[in-house]
Amino acid sequence: MPRVGLRAAGAAVLALGGLLGGLAAAQDLVPPDVLVKNVTLEVVEIVKSDRDIQAGDRRKVVALIDAKVLPHFNFGAMTASAVGTNWGKASAEQKARLVDEFRTLMVRTYASSIAAYKNQRFDFRPLRARPTDTDVTVSVRVLQSGTEPVKIDYDMEKTARGWKVWDVRVADISLTANYRTEFANVVRESGIDGLIRTLQAKNEKAGEPAPAGRR
Amino acid sequence: MSASELQSGMGIGYLARARVLLSAAALVVASGCATTAATDPRDPAEGFNRAMFSFNETLDESIAKPVATAYKSVTPDMVRYWVRNFFANIGDIFIGLNNLLQGKPGDAVVDWARFSMNTTLGVFGINDVASEVGLDKHNEDFGQTFGRWGSPSGAYLVWPFFGPSTVRDTAGGLVDFYLDPVWRKQSEGVRWTAALLRATSQRADLLDASRILEEAALDKYVFQRDAFLQRRRGLIYDGKPPRDSSSLLREAPHAEAPPAADRVFDEPAVAVSAPASPDAALRVAGNPEQVLAAGHTGR
């Protein structure tokens, strides 16, 4: 019961933070490690208790991510990092479309990861940063027997609208760095528009409802 | 037909076969090369690697994945848990050895304590009681040990059946393989049964991950390669690699000034000339990050 209360309090703080937006003074921001912990536990709790999600309802998982996770990500920075040196060559409109498509790709990948969740336990590591730091890494370890713990690092920066994630490293594999070569290859062959088209095609193809049995 | 004629006949047959094989291999390599406009410095054998990657993909789709899926659907969770732990427990002996060789006796003690505890209290290792009391499992192998002492990773390589590797990790893998208790001192039957069961168990554990990879990647080969190289680098540094994921970018032949948004560049790696500790001596050359890693802070 106290845990539920705590979560409600956390949600209230989050909602308040969103409401006040730019008005919130720096010290009113939810600290990054607390934010990661709250969001992770909340999402896991919902995934565990929601029958539709348990039965493999992807749309509901995506809606959950949209509501709970996305607001804490800075997709502009993530996309820029993934596109790398070619980012400067893109027009404002191209950038917006790249961010859009990359966000969709990330959400689906994330949805698959959530669907694969099976009662692993989390070890939220203490934040190693000074209170004045504006760029921190929050580490969570996923514990499961028979393998070494998997470390997930969230690289976060402080903004007026709260702490935002700009890269995720799973077992030291940076998501944005991992896309860099792929994206550079596509841009070299078919330009920025080619990359937008490729991402669109990928998203549309994967957007089809998964065939039964594929879970 | 005289003996010598027979012999030369065989010789010609053998030669002809070898030539067919060779030209097939050359064709494969050539076609692989043709698909890639620019070569990545980390991956000079991309043509060969892509051919092996396709071979492995086909093998996986037609045999490994169906077997692993079936294994997962017919065995209770508990049994798979036991199987996974049993093999993981055997691995701890050599993980401890590698930790010792890497100059981390404390970690080695943890690994061997895990082995003793899980083998006895955990009943031949099928239960991971050590993790429950806070003795976390490590991930070490000889490739990492070589890396720890300064061996560069060398070219990226994909082997049939074994998948992604590098020159260094191939050498390490051969030592791992030589010492592998599953392959040593067992009768032929036990050895193959155990090895196949272990492989099935490991593949089953990766079913979700491989599906996610499928969804995430534009070019699965490139995605897997980059993830593998990043992962190995992280493992050598025991999860604390210097922040230098820019390495991937710097290798692009036409790399220019990084965009401001790419904060990966904020922390310049520090070059050291006189490494004082194994940590500082740690070098991942071969990847263009020939930068030594004194900059990274220990735990």
Side-chain angles (χ1 to χ4, degrees):
Chain A
M1 207 53 204
R3 242 182 92 198
V4 175
L6 208 66
R7 242 179 329 110
V13 170
L14 276 182
L16 202 65
L19 269 175
L20 297 177
L23 288 175
Q27 63 264 35
D28 291 330
L29 295 179
V30 182
D33 52 336
V34 177
L35 183 67
V36 167
K37 186 174 181 175
N38 287 348
V39 172
T40 307
L41 292 179
E42 191 183 3
V43 167
V44 163
E45 197 61 38
I46 295 174
V47 167
K48 274 201 284 198
S49 58
D50 190 307
R51 288 230 179 105
D52 296 334
I53 291 176
Q54 289 289 314
D57 186 342
R58 289 280 290 216
R59 215 164 303 163
K60 218 162 170 183
V61 179
V62 170
L64 173 67
I65 295 170
D66 270 333
K68 302 288 180 195
V69 183
L70 284 202
H72 308 296
F73 277 72
N74 180 352
F75 281 103
M78 285 183 94
T79 314
S81 176
V83 175
T85 52
N86 291 310
W87 186 247
K89 295 177 197 157
S91 70
E93 198 222 327
Q94 283 174 324
K95 282 179 184 171
R97 293 181 64 191
L98 280 173
V99 172
D100 246 23
E101 297 297 339
F102 192 56
R103 184 195 289 117
T104 310
L105 186 65
M106 287 297 94
V107 168
R108 206 191 4 268
T109 307
Y110 198 72
S112 296
S113 318
I114 286 184
Y117 173 80
K118 281 183 220 70
N119 291 316
Q120 286 95 341
R121 286 169 301 127
F122 297 96
D123 170 21
F124 297 94
R125 309 300 295 166
L127 183 63
R128 295 173 63 245
R130 287 178 298 270
T132 50
D133 284 349
T134 56
D135 199 341
V136 302
T137 301
V138 177
S139 293
V140 181
R141 295 192 318 157
V142 184
L143 308 174
Q144 44 198 348
S145 81
T147 56
E148 81 273 15
V150 177
K151 188 164 63 93
I152 303 179
D153 293 316
Y154 296 92
D155 291 325
M156 304 176 79
E157 70 170 337
K158 195 180 199 170
T159 72
R161 290 165 294 114
W163 286 88
K164 302 285 176 189
V165 177
W166 58 269
D167 195 9
V168 183
R169 285 175 284 140
V170 182
D172 297 314
I173 302 168
S174 151
L175 215 52
T176 61
N178 220 62
Y179 277 105
R180 223 169 274 152
T181 318
E182 284 199 283
F183 283 7
N185 286 346
V186 177
V187 170
R188 186 168 48 242
E189 272 161 32
S190 49
I192 300 276
D193 283 327
L195 178 57
I196 295 172
R197 277 196 303 274
T198 306
L199 284 171
Q200 262 172 347
K202 173 90 192 162
N203 286 334
E204 272 162 28
K205 193 173 130 204
E208 290 160 13
R214 199 176 158 214
R215 213 166 59 86
Chain B
M1 199 189 270
S2 75
S4 68
E5 269 174 329
L6 192 72
Q7 220 167 18
S8 71
M10 274 171 65
I12 289 166
Y14 173 75
L15 264 180
R17 260 200 313 260
R19 224 177 29 217
V20 169
L21 255 176
L22 267 178
S23 53
L27 200 69
V28 162
V29 171
S31 65
C33 289
T35 60
T36 55
T39 44
D40 193 307
R42 295 164 306 168
D43 191 4
E46 186 169 344
F48 169 82
N49 287 344
R50 279 199 188 258
M52 292 307 112
F53 171 80
S54 308
F55 172 79
N56 287 341
E57 286 285 287
T58 311
L59 192 75
D60 186 57
E61 281 299 323
S62 50
I63 299 173
K65 207 155 100 181
V67 169
T69 310
Y71 169 75
K72 201 173 168 182
S73 61
V74 299
T75 53
D77 287 354
M78 204 59 198
V79 170
R80 272 179 287 135
Y81 170 86
W82 288 335
V83 170
R84 181 190 307 129
N85 287 340
F86 177 77
F87 288 112
N89 186 49
I90 294 174
D92 277 342
I93 309 171
F94 295 95
I95 291 171
L97 175 64
N98 276 298
N99 266 326
L100 195 66
L101 292 174
Q102 290 174 26
K104 294 181 287 186
D107 284 357
V109 167
V110 169
D111 296 325
W112 290 329
R114 282 179 52 85
F115 178 77
S116 321
M117 195 182 269
N118 285 342
T119 305
T120 52
L121 297 175
V123 193
F124 301 114
I126 63 173
N127 294 295
D128 187 1
V129 284
S131 283
E132 278 155 35
V133 300
L135 294 176
D136 285 337
K137 190 169 173 66
H138 298 123
N139 181 332
E140 304 293 348
D141 52 51
F142 275 92
Q144 291 178 54
T145 300
F146 295 159
R148 173 111 186 153
W149 294 107
S151 162
S153 66
Y156 178 67
L157 291 171
V158 181
W159 295 114
F161 303 101
F162 298 98
S165 189
T166 59
V167 174
R168 179 194 60 215
D169 290 339
T170 302
L174 288 172
V175 182
D176 292 334
F177 184 73
Y178 178 74
L179 293 175
D180 185 354
V182 172
W183 284 101
R184 277 173 80 87
K185 296 181 191 155
Q186 313 286 355
S187 71
E188 199 81 344
V190 172
R191 162 197 299 189
W192 278 99
T193 311
L196 288 175
L197 179 58
R198 177 171 63 181
T200 306
S201 164
Q202 288 173 348
R203 184 64 189 89
D205 285 339
L206 290 174
L207 283 171
D208 286 321
S210 64
R211 190 168 40 82
I212 293 168
L213 173 69
E214 198 87 46
E215 288 182 3
L218 301 180
D219 176 345
K220 203 172 161 192
Y221 171 82
V222 173
F223 203 84
Q224 192 180 72
R225 177 190 70 198
D226 289 4
F228 176 82
L229 293 176
Q230 281 202 65
R231 170 75 177 137
R232 291 300 295 178
R233 186 162 176 273
L235 281 174
I236 288 168
Y237 287 94
D238 286 332
K240 299 181 287 284
R243 281 271 282 280
D244 191 12
S245 19
S246 61
S247 59
L248 293 172
L249 182 59
R250 260 193 291 148
E251 285 173 23
H254 48 83
E256 298 154 12
D262 196 342
R263 283 163 197 83
V264 168
F265 293 91
D266 275 0
E267 246 174 273
V270 182
V272 246
S273 45
S277 66
D279 236 327
L282 222 166
R283 166 178 40 212
V284 189
N287 289 342
E289 55 228 300
Q290 314 92 337
V291 188
L292 300 189
H296 88 277
T297 46
R299 200 185 318 226

